[in-house]
């Protein structure tokens, strides 16, 4: 198909058809018999041409530029048309270059649906875009790039303007969508007007964004808002230049303000909850010529309906708190940046100071309110620091790690409460949960409570993730070295009810040898799973962890590991697992990383489990998990029978001994031992029985005294008569012989037949004269006494003289 373009001289329009950038020239333009890759049609020309391909839109673009001179002649004010008609369907750009004096202002007024500013590089949904440049003398400033369907209704500029409209080849648009009007000088770079009727959000940028705003320039944004709506301003991205004179700032003209203009720094929180229309101006400064820097600004204006509870204030009293911050923020902060199209929730600490994020610090009292339809989209993150300055004072104090009620009473869900615990050198931190105890979150034993604790032990060089814990477990105490961070994280709304039962406590304790020590007191009916910290990434090199497990006295613990080996290879050092019961003489079980872990075993006393890491080779990590169960102690039936039988035997022996003693006491007469110095116990012919002399042995010392040979002062009264004084020792003054006055060996006496008519000398050769005489027993007593002593003590404990006839025979 052929195309004819006819340009009038008076229109001052030039048409250029050029190859599309970055596309190979596979199509040409034929004008009569001339083929070329470009075509330029100037004012007053009438040109007919064709393309050598059927799809020229793939290879060519077109620019239509109209020059308008408002300096030397009258300006053609009014609607701007897309001229000339009959253009080929190519991607095209209409450019209106308007020359104007700086003493006058130009106004670009856009027809509905108005315009929306976009960031450089962003594309409009319908690929129709406007680009506006301001021309002051020889300088050109880019006011911005805009799409259709927005809130920007007018732009007033000082001096000339270059307006560009970019249309795709298939766009049905037939009008420019704006008109040009003449206005008085605005005495600033530009004024951009936005009309915000209902709940909406608009994003705007300073001229030349992301490059620098012109030096010492001023521009204004005008926002037309119904008086029954509320507007808030948020600066999302800005930078400042290096000023030599003046100061970069923003100025507001706010409705109902008695101090207009209100001046703010770009770093300040900007006004919020503005009722009705307002103006915002950006003022630059005189920049340093050597290092000017860049002034730029990207901001957002959000318009909302007044909230039902906007006048409801909540008291947050942090005056008695120390070293604590409370941040109220949108969900996902700070990692997620909300889309500007999302409904916005604002937190206000006074009617004009509102933001999406508000941080409160300890030592003050705040009255806050919320501009938010749905408060469930807000969260609270708080942080408290506890440090030890004076060790003597720290070790005597117990800190309660509780979420203050001033936080839980707010209508906002607590997301996280963080305690940062700082311990000095040689002092460690102990975490206890006396009543609730802690459960370690492991795959086999997941936490299902409304909150949990994440515990991290950190030094400037390393970080040890101790684990995630929740209330209702078996861990009573955790002792850790280094500085500790404990993060309480909530899940769902149940925390409000459970927060009253928190019992986590912290104290500073003396230095411990392991990196971390757990004290575990399990529920006897539960199976407890425990695993090494830093799961699943493995213990850091050379770290030692211990568990002390309490076993109830009437139960036995069953300990087992979840795998057979440690699963690592050591580059330096050795990794060990040590198990030892806390009882006297208990053996310690030790396994290295190259050995099988212990089989499941019974533990009858409190016991220790220690895991010590080496420096593993690459791609191997030490991760261990073990479990503990409990059962009642089972007593063996044989042991019960043996104990009962032993008790019976002991009882029988006791009864027998009691009966014998009772019988003896009833039949026993007092026996009197009187010293007789005139008796000679020497018998001729028996000199060789004892080879030692009296001085060389101890045969004259009693080893055993028979029951019948009791001391007189222990004898009871008999037949109403007082017993005589007995067993009185009288010293011997004569010579001492070579043999003691001892009886013969019991083995020589046991077969001797005794008769009162038989006279037989005793086998004694001792010539000592310190002999003793003993009182006689009644009939039958001598034989009874001899039998008893024979069983118990076959030595000199028998009576020296057994009857009266033997006594006469010795004499």
């Amino acid at each position: 198909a052929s195309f004819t373009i006819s340009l009038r001289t008076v229109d001052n329009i030039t048409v250029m058809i050029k190859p599309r950038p970055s596309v190979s020239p596979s199509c040409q333009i034929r004008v009569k018999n001339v083929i070329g890759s470009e075509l330029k049609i100037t004012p007053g020309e009438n040109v007919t041409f064709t393309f050598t391909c059927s799809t020229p839109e793939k290879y060519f673009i077109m620019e239509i530029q109209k020059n308008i001179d408002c300096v030397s002649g009258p300006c053609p004010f009014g609607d701007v048309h897309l001229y000339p008609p009959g253009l080929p369907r190519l991607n095209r750009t209409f450019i209106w270059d308007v020359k104007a004096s700086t003493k006058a202002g130009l106004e670009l007024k856009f027809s509905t649906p108005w315009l929306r500013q976009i960031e450089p590089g962003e594309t409009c949904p319908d690929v129709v875009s406007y680009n506006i440049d301001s021309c002051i003398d020889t300088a050109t400033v880019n006011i911005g790039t805009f799409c259709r369907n927005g809130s920007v209704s007018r732009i007033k500029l000082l001096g000339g303007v270059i307006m560009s409209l970019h249309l795709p080849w298939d766009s049905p648009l037939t009008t420019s969508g704006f008109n040009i009007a003449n206005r008085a000088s605005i005495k600033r770079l530009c004024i951009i007007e936005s009309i915000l009727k209902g709940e909406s959000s608009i994003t705007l940028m300073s001229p030349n964004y992301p490059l620098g705003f012109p030096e010492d320039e001023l521009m204004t944004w005008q926002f037309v808002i119904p008086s029954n709506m509320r507007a808030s301003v948020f600066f999302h991205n800005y930078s400042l230049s290096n000023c030599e004179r003046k100061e970069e700032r923003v100025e507001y003209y706010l409705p109902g303000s008695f101090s207009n203009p209100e001046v703010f720094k770009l770093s300040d929180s900007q006004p919020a909850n503005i009722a009705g229309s307002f103006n915002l101006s950006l003022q630059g400064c005189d920049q340093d010529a050597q290092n000017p820097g860049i002034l730029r600004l990207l901001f957002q204006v959000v318009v909302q309906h007044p909230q039902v509870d906007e006048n409801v204030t909540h008291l947050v009293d942090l005056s008695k708190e120390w070293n604590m911050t409370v941040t109220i923020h949108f969900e996902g902060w700070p990692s997620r940046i909300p889309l500007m199209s999302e409904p916005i929730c604002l937190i206000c600490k006074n009617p004009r100071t509102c933001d999406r994020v508000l941080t409160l610090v300890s030592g003050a009292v705040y009255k806050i309110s919320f501009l938010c339809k749905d408060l469930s989209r807000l969260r609270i993150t708080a942080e408290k620091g506890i440090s030890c300055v004076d060790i003597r004072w720290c070790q005597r104090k117990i800190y309660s790690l509780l979420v203050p009620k001033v936080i839980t009473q707010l209508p906002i869900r607590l997301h996280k409460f963080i305690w940062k615990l700082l311990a000095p050198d040689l002092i460690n931190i102990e975490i206890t949960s006396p009543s609730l105890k802690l459960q370690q979150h492991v795959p086999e034993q997941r936490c299902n409570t409304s909150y949990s604790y994440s515990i991290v032990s950190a030094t400037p060089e390393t970080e040890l993730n101790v684990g995630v814990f929740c209330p209702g477990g078996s861990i009573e105490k955790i002792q850790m070295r280094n500085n500790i961070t404990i993060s309480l994280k909530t899940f769902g709304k149940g925390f409000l009810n459970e927060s009253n039962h928190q019992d986590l406590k912290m104290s500073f304790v003396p230095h411990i040898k392991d990196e971390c020590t757990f004290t575990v007191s399990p529920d006897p009916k539960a199976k407890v799973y425990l695993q090494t910290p830093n799961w699943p990434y493995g213990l850091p090199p050379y770290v030692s962890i211990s568990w002390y497990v309490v076993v109830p006295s009437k139960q036995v613990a069953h300990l087992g590991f979840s795998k057979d080996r440690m699963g690592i290879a050591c580059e330096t050092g050795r990794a060990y697992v040590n198990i030892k019961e806390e009882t006297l003489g208990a053996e310690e079980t030790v396994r290295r990383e190259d050995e099988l872990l212990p089989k499941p075993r019974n533990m009858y006393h409190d016991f220790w489990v220690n895991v010590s890491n080496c420096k593993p080779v690459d791609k191997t990590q030490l991760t261990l998990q073990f479990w503990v169960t409990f059962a009642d102690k089972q007593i063996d039936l044989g042991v019960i029978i043996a104990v009962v039988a032993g008790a019976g035997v002991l009882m029988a022996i006791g009864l027998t001994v009691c009966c014998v003693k009772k019988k003896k006491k009833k039949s026993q007469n007092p026996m009197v031992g009187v010293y007789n110095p005139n008796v000679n116990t020497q018998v001729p012919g028996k000199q060789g029985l004892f080879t030692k002399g009296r001085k060389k042995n101890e045969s004259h010392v009693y080893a055993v005294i028979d029951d019948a040979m009791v001391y007189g002062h222990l004898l009871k009264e008999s037949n109403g008569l007082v017993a005589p004084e007995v067993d009185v020792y009288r010293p011997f003054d004569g010579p001492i012989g070579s043999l003691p006055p001892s009886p013969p060996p019991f083995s020589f006496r046991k077969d001797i037949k005794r008769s009162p008519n038989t006279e037989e000398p005793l086998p004694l050769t001792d010539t000592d004269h310190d002999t003793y005489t003993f009182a006689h027993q009644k009939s039958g007593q001598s034989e009874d006494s001899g039998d008893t002593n024979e069983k118990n003590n076959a030595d000199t404990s028998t009576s020296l003289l057994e009857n009266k006839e033997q006594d006469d025979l010795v004499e």
Side-chain angles (χ1 to χ4, degrees), residues 454-469:
S454 174
I455 302 178
V456 177
S457 171
T459 64
E461 297 81 18
T462 60
E463 183 174 280
L464 179 67
N465 185 359
V466 179
V468 176
F469 304 85

Side-chain angles (χ1 to χ4, degrees), residues 781-811:
Q781 185 69 25
S782 173
E783 192 173 55
D784 200 9
S785 178
D787 293 340
T788 303
N789 284 293
E790 180 181 351
K791 292 177 183 177
N792 295 332
N793 211 352
D795 56 15
T796 59
S797 62
T798 358
S799 302
L800 293 177
L801 302 177
E802 296 188 9
N803 51 46
K804 189 177 185 297
E805 287 78 8
Q806 288 174 328
D807 193 10
D808 295 336
L809 188 61
V810 172
E811 291 177 352

Side-chain angles (χ1 to χ4, degrees), residues 254-269:
L254 302 173
S257 174
F258 297 102
S259 57
N260 284 325
E262 294 190 14
V263 179
F264 291 79
K265 295 180 180 180
L266 276 71
S267 57
D268 294 337
S269 292

Side-chain angles (χ1 to χ4, degrees), residues 71-110:
V71 175
S72 57
C75 282
F77 298 123
D79 291 338
V80 176
H81 302 283
L82 300 182
Y83 186 84
L87 297 175
R89 290 169 60 87
L90 302 176
N91 289 350
R92 53 202 181 275
T93 301
F94 290 91
I95 303 172
W96 295 272
D97 186 354
V98 182
K99 298 287 192 299
S101 170
T102 56
K103 296 180 180 179
L106 289 177
E107 178 183 277
L108 304 178
K109 187 175 182 180
F110 303 97

